[in-house]
Amino acid sequence: MNHDKILEIVKEHYPEALIADGFNSAIVGYTNEGKLVYRVAKMIDILMTRDEMSEEDAMEYIDYNVLGAYVGEMTPIYIYTE
């Protein structure tokens, strides 16, 4: 299932789910509670391409602004994959 389909399902069935703006293509799934799951490496790639950040800057941005943010029960889950 691709990220657009996953997002469509989550929006329909879990309208309270939180979405990490600008990172839709990093979505890899969702939990049974409706939390979106994002792949961190893809988020870093997005920042490097879209915002022309260095890898180090993108990693720092994700670490500080995304991974460190708790915005309630429906905060997305961020995973590392090989």
Side-chain angles (χ1 to χ4, degrees):
M1 189 175 340
N2 73 30
H3 56 86
D4 291 328
K5 182 66 175 169
I6 293 168
L7 190 55
E8 179 183 321
I9 290 168
V10 169
K11 283 181 174 182
E12 180 180 341
H13 296 284
Y14 305 97
E16 69 281 3
L18 299 176
I19 300 166
D21 291 334
F23 295 106
N24 290 356
S25 63
I27 295 171
V28 294
Y30 63 98
T31 68
N32 59 337
E33 296 97 8
K35 294 179 184 182
L36 285 166
V37 179
Y38 292 84
R39 186 170 158 250
V40 173
K42 179 63 177 173
M43 295 174 82
I44 291 169
D45 288 343
I46 290 168
L47 289 174
M48 291 171 59
T49 303
R50 183 190 68 201
D51 300 344
E52 299 180 355
M53 289 186 181
S54 68
E55 183 176 15
E56 183 178 334
D57 287 344
M59 290 171 64
E60 184 177 314
Y61 178 91
I62 293 293
D63 187 50
Y64 183 78
N65 295 294
V66 178
L67 302 179
Y70 176 77
V71 288
E73 287 184 27
M74 294 305 288
T75 298
I77 295 173
Y78 304 99
I79 62 169
Y80 294 90
T81 60
E82 293 184 340

